[in-house]
Amino acid sequence: MTRKAAPPQAEDNSRRAELVRTAARLFRDQGYERTTVRDLGNAVGLQSGSLFYHFRNKEEILVAVMALGITSTTEQLAAALEVAKTPYDKVSALIHVHLNSLLGENQAALEVMLYEWRSVSAEQKPGLIVLRDRYEALWQSALDEAAAAGVVGQDTRLLRRMVLGSLHWSVQWFRRDGGDSVDALAERMLKLVIGPRPQAD
Amino acid sequence: MTRKAAPPQAEDNSRRAELVRTAARLFRDQGYERTTVRDLGNAVGLQSGSLFYHFRNKEEILVAVMALGITSTTEQLAAALEVAKTPYDKVSALIHVHLNSLLGENQAALEVMLYEWRSVSAEQKPGLIVLRDRYEALWQSALDEAAAAGVVGQDTRLLRRMVLGSLHWSVQWFRRDGGDSVDALAERMLKLVIGPRPQAD
DNA sequence: GTCTATATGGGGATAGAC
DNA sequence: GTCTATCCCCATATAGAC
C-alpha cells in the first residue's frame, strides 16, 4: 500500500535511514541549498524523482537530518551522564560526547543541525527547537551541578553558550589528519574550561 | 568610460559601497544562496541586471561583503590594541571589538564572512584567507602577551580558537532587546575567559 | 519502490537602447 | 549607470507506467 512520507522521527525504515545519512554528509559538505535532489539521487543510486516517494519535499529531508543529529547526540549524552560519577566527570562527558558527535567519523547530522538552521521554515522550527532544548537542558543541569560543587563559576547559562559555541566552531578548523584525536582535543578543551582534574585529597 | 568591476578592496566608489552594505544585510538575514540578485536589486532600487555593471557576478558581491567584514574589524582591533596598555586591556579589546563587529547595529558583514564560507569558490578563498590570517595574528599576539604575563594559560592557540568560537556563536542567540547591551555581554564573557580585572597592588 | 518524462518556475547573467 | 527584454539553464516536484 502506498503511504505518504512518515514524520521525521520514524527511522525504522532502513531505506529512509540510509537516505538521511547520505543527505547529512552531502548537506554538511556542500551546504543544503547547493545540494540538489539530483546529487542525493546519484549518491544513493536513485533517480531524483524517486526521492519524493520517501519525502514530501526537500525540506523534509533537511528536517530529518537535523532531528537525527540532535536526538542521537542527546541519547549518547544521556547515557554518558548516567555513568559519570562526579560533577567533573559530567562536564567531561558534555565535551567528549558533543565533540565526537560533531567531529567523529560518519558524523555529519549534528553539524547540519547547527549550520543550516536558516533554511528551516517557520513551520518546521518549533519541532526541532523542542529537541534542541531537551539537549541543552542536559547541559544546563550538569553545569549547574558543577557550579554548586565549585568546579565552574556561577554564570552557567552564559558558560553553556560559550562552551557550546567553542565546540561548534571546531568543525571549521579541526582536521582529523592534523595530530590530535577527537578525544585528545576534548581533553585539552576541558582543561581550558575547567582546569586540571582534581586529585583525591 | 566603461570599466569592468573593480577588485573587492576598492570601496572608494560610494555606489558600490552601498550595494555591499545592503548585500551584507540580506546575506546575513536570508543566507547568500537564498538571496537572489532580484532581492538585492529591489533593496537598492535597481533592476537586477544593473547590478552586473558593478559586479562581474554574484559571487563577487559575496567576496566583497566578506572582505569588508574582516578588514573593517581588523582595522578597529588594531586601533583598540594600540590604545590598550596592559595585557588584560588587550584581551578585553579583542572581545569588545569582535563582539561589536558581530552584534552591533548595522553590522552584518563579519557574520557573512563567518557563516557563508562554503559558498566561496576555491579561486576566491586564498585572498580572503590572507585577510583572516592577518586578523587572527592580532589575536594570537595579544593572547601570547597575556600568557607571558600569566593572565591566561599557555595553550593560546587553542584558547584563541575557543574564544573566537564562543563569540561567533553569539549571533545565534543574542537578542538586542533581551537585556544585556553588547558591551555588557562582552564584559561577562571576558570574566569567564580571564577572571575579574586585577586590582593595582 | 523505482523508473521515465515532463511540468513549472525561478535563478544568474547578457545585449543593446537610452 | 540604469533600463528593458530576454536567454538559457537547472532547480523542485508531479504523473503515470512498470
Side-chain angles (χ1 to χ4, degrees):
Chain A
M1 50 187 147
T2 59
R3 58 161 183 81
K4 264 307 174 183
Q9 287 74 13
E11 304 300 347
D12 50 297
N13 182 326
S14 72
R15 190 71 166 124
R16 186 181 158 105
E18 183 208 347
L19 293 177
V20 172
R21 281 196 308 272
T22 304
R25 188 169 43 77
L26 291 175
F27 292 170
R28 178 197 58 187
D29 293 342
Q30 314 177 356
Y32 168 71
E33 302 287 353
R34 298 168 77 90
T35 302
T36 69
V37 293
R38 288 180 178 84
D39 290 336
L40 179 55
N42 285 340
V44 296
L46 282 183
Q47 293 301 310
S48 63
S50 307
L51 296 171
F52 294 93
Y53 172 81
H54 299 279
F55 301 92
R56 248 183 294 272
N57 50 46
K58 191 187 173 191
E59 192 195 10
E60 192 177 284
I61 308 177
L62 177 64
V63 172
V65 168
M66 290 184 170
L68 171 66
I70 190 67
T71 55
S72 73
T73 308
T74 300
E75 286 166 20
Q76 291 167 49
L77 180 57
L81 288 173
E82 202 70 30
V83 172
K85 292 180 177 59
T86 66
Y88 185 98
D89 288 338
K90 293 192 180 183
V91 176
S92 175
L94 298 178
I95 294 180
H96 277 272
V97 168
H98 194 90
L99 218 53
N100 272 291
S101 194
L102 270 180
L103 305 177
E105 303 193 56
N106 306 319
Q107 302 298 315
L110 182 61
E111 184 173 339
V112 173
M113 169 83 184
L114 296 177
Y115 285 100
E116 300 290 351
W117 191 251
R118 235 179 351 208
S119 293
V120 180
S121 68
E123 294 75 39
Q124 296 296 328
K125 274 181 179 158
L128 291 168
I129 287 176
V130 168
L131 301 179
R132 187 200 61 189
D133 288 351
R134 201 168 293 163
Y135 179 67
E136 295 193 343
L138 293 180
W139 269 73
Q140 191 60 46
S141 59
L143 289 178
D144 285 342
E145 269 188 64
V151 173
V152 301
Q154 294 301 314
D155 197 350
T156 53
R157 290 180 59 83
L158 184 58
L159 180 65
R160 187 195 77 226
R161 286 170 157 167
M162 290 189 73
V163 175
L164 276 169
S166 297
L167 301 181
H168 295 162
W169 195 247
S170 67
V171 302
Q172 307 287 341
W173 54 265
F174 179 75
R175 294 293 165 259
R176 194 174 287 104
D177 53 0
D180 268 336
S181 70
V182 174
D183 282 307
L185 175 62
E187 281 301 306
R188 286 174 64 202
M189 288 183 155
L190 180 63
K191 285 191 179 43
L192 280 183
V193 170
I194 207 177
R197 170 179 291 275
Q199 302 300 315
D201 33 46
Chain B
M1 47 185 148
T2 58
R3 58 161 183 79
K4 265 303 170 185
Q9 287 73 12
E11 304 300 347
D12 51 296
N13 182 326
S14 72
R15 190 70 164 124
R16 185 180 159 106
E18 184 207 348
L19 293 177
V20 171
R21 281 195 308 272
T22 303
R25 187 168 43 75
L26 292 175
F27 292 168
R28 178 197 58 189
D29 293 342
Q30 313 177 357
Y32 169 72
E33 302 288 352
R34 296 167 78 90
T35 303
T36 69
V37 293
R38 288 175 177 81
D39 290 337
L40 179 54
N42 285 340
V44 296
L46 282 184
Q47 294 301 311
S48 63
S50 307
L51 296 171
F52 294 92
Y53 172 83
H54 299 278
F55 301 92
R56 248 184 292 273
N57 50 46
K58 191 187 174 193
E59 192 195 10
E60 193 177 284
I61 308 177
L62 176 63
V63 172
V65 168
M66 289 183 170
L68 171 66
I70 190 67
T71 56
S72 75
T73 307
T74 301
E75 285 166 20
Q76 291 167 49
L77 180 57
L81 289 173
E82 201 69 31
V83 172
K85 291 180 179 58
T86 66
Y88 186 99
D89 289 338
K90 292 191 180 182
V91 176
S92 175
L94 298 179
I95 293 179
H96 276 272
V97 168
H98 193 91
L99 218 53
N100 272 290
S101 194
L102 270 180
L103 305 177
E105 303 193 58
N106 306 319
Q107 302 297 316
L110 183 61
E111 183 172 340
V112 174
M113 168 82 185
L114 296 178
Y115 285 100
E116 299 290 351
W117 191 251
R118 236 178 350 206
S119 294
V120 180
S121 67
E123 294 74 43
Q124 296 296 328
K125 273 180 178 157
L128 291 168
I129 287 175
V130 167
L131 301 178
R132 187 200 61 188
D133 287 351
R134 201 168 292 164
Y135 179 66
E136 295 193 343
L138 292 180
W139 269 71
Q140 191 60 46
S141 59
L143 290 178
D144 284 341
E145 269 189 64
V151 173
V152 300
Q154 294 300 316
D155 197 351
T156 54
R157 290 179 59 84
L158 184 59
L159 180 65
R160 186 195 76 225
R161 286 171 157 166
M162 290 189 74
V163 176
L164 277 169
S166 297
L167 301 180
H168 296 162
W169 195 248
S170 68
V171 302
Q172 307 288 341
W173 54 264
F174 179 76
R175 295 292 164 260
R176 193 174 287 100
D177 53 1
D180 268 336
S181 71
V182 174
D183 282 308
L185 175 61
E187 281 300 309
R188 286 173 66 205
M189 287 184 155
L190 181 62
K191 285 190 178 45
L192 281 183
V193 170
I194 206 176
R197 171 178 291 278
Q199 302 299 314
D201 31 46

